[in-house]
Amino acid sequence: MEFVEEMAALLPDAIALCRSAGLGASPRGIQVSAARRALLELLDPEQGASVGELARRAGVTAATMSTALNRLERDGCAVRERSQSDARVVEVRLTPEGEALRHATSPIDPQRLTALAEHLTYLEQREVLQGLRLLCQAAAKSTP
């Protein structure tokens, strides 16, 4: 239990140290809720994903995901295209405007991370990354 208590004490501080002072202005004044922000993180500009895959990863129904994607598509932040390998499959990708929105509204400030990294040796930086990878792997295993 000592591990859980220490993680619970350290994680909020670690996250707070990496947060942006304030979210950047979103392009064209597009509203970004927490749910929309999470959806932007699921999408990739290169690797398309099906609506069903996105819904599974987000833990929502395909109908709910489709509605959310309609809004992103309407705002020019996502695009649906037929898969080049299987024309029956529709893939969703993040557009350049979607990438800009994701970057502008990121809760993590890359400049703060850079400043934090400057206080760590190369080996310490690798240890932090390995710890975060392990945490993500454990989370993936514990999620149905």
Side-chain angles (χ1 to χ4, degrees):
M1 193 57 127
E2 183 178 310
F3 169 80
V4 172
E5 290 169 355
E6 191 167 354
M7 283 288 289
L10 291 173
L11 275 176
D13 289 341
I15 292 168
L17 291 169
C18 300
R19 285 196 188 277
S20 298
L23 295 179
S26 66
R28 297 183 321 160
I30 297 170
Q31 294 297 312
V32 183
S33 65
R36 181 174 264 203
R37 181 78 187 85
L39 180 53
L40 288 170
E41 286 299 325
L42 287 177
L43 295 172
D44 186 276
E46 306 292 326
Q47 181 81 26
S50 70
V51 174
E53 171 64 16
L54 293 168
R56 185 191 64 72
R57 289 175 25 206
V60 299
T61 66
T64 298
M65 179 57 67
S66 188
T67 299
L69 289 170
N70 286 343
R71 291 184 188 120
L72 277 184
E73 197 170 26
R74 178 197 66 213
D75 291 336
C77 295
V79 63
R80 295 178 214 216
E81 300 172 330
R82 293 268 172 211
S83 169
Q84 292 183 359
S85 62
D86 184 348
R88 297 170 297 170
V89 176
V90 175
E91 296 178 331
V92 184
R93 286 186 179 74
L94 198 61
T95 64
E97 185 159 31
E99 283 186 274
L101 181 62
R102 179 170 63 186
H103 179 73
T105 60
S106 176
I108 302 298
D109 183 347
Q111 291 175 332
R112 291 193 79 175
L113 287 179
T114 300
L116 291 171
E118 290 174 358
H119 296 283
L120 300 170
T121 67
Y122 176 82
L123 290 177
E124 290 169 334
Q125 291 173 17
R126 304 279 64 83
E127 287 178 25
V128 168
L129 291 175
Q130 182 59 21
L132 290 172
R133 281 188 203 101
L134 289 171
L135 189 61
C136 289
Q137 289 169 5
K141 289 177 185 175
S142 68
T143 304

